[in-house]
Amino acid sequence: MTLGEHRYALTATWQGNRGTGTSGYRDYSRDVTIEVEGKPVMLASADKPFRGDPERWNPEDMLIASLSECHLLSYLHACVGAGVVVVSYIDRASGVMREDGRGGGAFTEVLLRPEVVVADASMIEAAESAHKDAHRMCFIANSVNFPVRHEASVTSR
């Protein structure tokens, strides 16, 4: 491994063979377990429109969650550097994926809506500016080929 290079590994196991494998589109479930050593097992599936289990995480959920959490963690780091004390952060993120009519598709955008509370009103301007730094630092946002937009609000307690 080179300096600054990080590797990640997981095991994804399909659990959807109902006895006839993939003999037909409706003949198997999309249930998957995702395991990372030392972490709880994640129950995953396809999204409901694609015959998945709506009670399990789907790839689209996980992509939005990755972008949201990466921004959150990058933002907290940027705020420390700017002398901003964050006391609360909640993001109501959403994304748009369009099917292409050929069996595929792509995300066209993700919108992050962080609601941040800082310790003092004098920190609001720097807290608002820190979102730009967080976006620049976010590894996940820098890895996707669609816009990741931000509609942040910052208030003080």
Side-chain angles (χ1 to χ4, degrees), residues 72-86 126-127 130 133 137:
L72 182 157
L73 296 171
S74 298
Y75 180 76
L76 297 178
H77 176 76
C79 283
V80 168
V84 173
V85 178
V86 175
D133 293 333
M137 292 188 291

Side-chain angles (χ1 to χ4, degrees), residues 25-26 28-31 45-54 58-60 97-100 103-107:
Y25 186 73
R26 299 177 188 275
Y28 62 96
S29 88
R30 279 57 174 175
D31 291 355
S45 187
D47 194 12
K48 186 177 179 182
F50 307 109
R51 304 197 55 78
D53 181 343
N58 63 59
E60 296 82 9
M97 184 193 69
R98 287 210 177 93
E99 293 183 61
D100 63 12
F107 270 81

Side-chain angles (χ1 to χ4, degrees), residues 59-89:
E60 296 82 9
D61 293 332
M62 289 187 275
L63 178 61
I64 294 170
S66 293
L67 286 162
S68 178
E69 183 182 359
C70 186
H71 184 82
L72 182 157
L73 296 171
S74 298
Y75 180 76
L76 297 178
H77 176 76
C79 283
V80 168
V84 173
V85 178
V86 175
V87 296
S88 174
Y89 183 115

Side-chain angles (χ1 to χ4, degrees), residues 1 20 29 38 43 57 62 78 91 103 118 135 151 157:
M1 174 160 48
T20 60
S29 88
L43 302 179
W57 284 84
M62 289 187 275
D91 183 13
V118 296
H135 182 69
E151 290 179 1
R157 59 176 166 173

Side-chain angles (χ1 to χ4, degrees), residues 1-155:
M1 174 160 48
T2 62
L3 181 63
E5 181 176 278
H6 306 273
R7 297 183 183 270
Y8 302 90
L10 61 79
T11 301
T13 306
W14 174 56
Q15 300 176 311
N17 185 350
R18 295 179 176 150
T20 60
T22 57
S23 58
Y25 186 73
R26 299 177 188 275
D27 296 337
Y28 62 96
S29 88
R30 279 57 174 175
D31 291 355
V32 175
T33 58
I34 299 174
E35 299 175 72
V36 174
E37 188 175 331
K39 297 179 182 181
V41 174
M42 178 180 287
L43 302 179
S45 187
D47 194 12
K48 186 177 179 182
F50 307 109
R51 304 197 55 78
D53 181 343
E55 293 183 10
R56 291 178 172 231
W57 284 84
N58 63 59
E60 296 82 9
D61 293 332
M62 289 187 275
L63 178 61
I64 294 170
S66 293
L67 286 162
S68 178
E69 183 182 359
C70 186
H71 184 82
L72 182 157
L73 296 171
S74 298
Y75 180 76
L76 297 178
H77 176 76
C79 283
V80 168
V84 173
V85 178
V86 175
V87 296
S88 174
Y89 183 115
I90 185 169
D91 183 13
R92 291 172 181 28
S94 61
V96 176
M97 184 193 69
R98 287 210 177 93
E99 293 183 61
D100 63 12
R102 299 183 312 265
F107 270 81
T108 58
E109 75 169 0
V110 166
L111 175 60
L112 306 180
R113 291 185 189 94
E115 298 170 17
V116 180
V117 179
V118 296
D120 188 83
S122 65
M123 299 174 177
I124 290 176
E125 186 176 332
E128 289 170 342
S129 180
H131 283 289
K132 292 179 190 122
D133 293 333
H135 182 69
R136 180 184 49 76
M137 292 188 291
C138 176
F139 302 127
I140 308 300
N142 288 318
S143 300
V144 299
N145 66 353
F146 55 83
V148 179
R149 296 187 311 108
H150 307 89
E151 290 179 1
S153 70
V154 180
T155 59

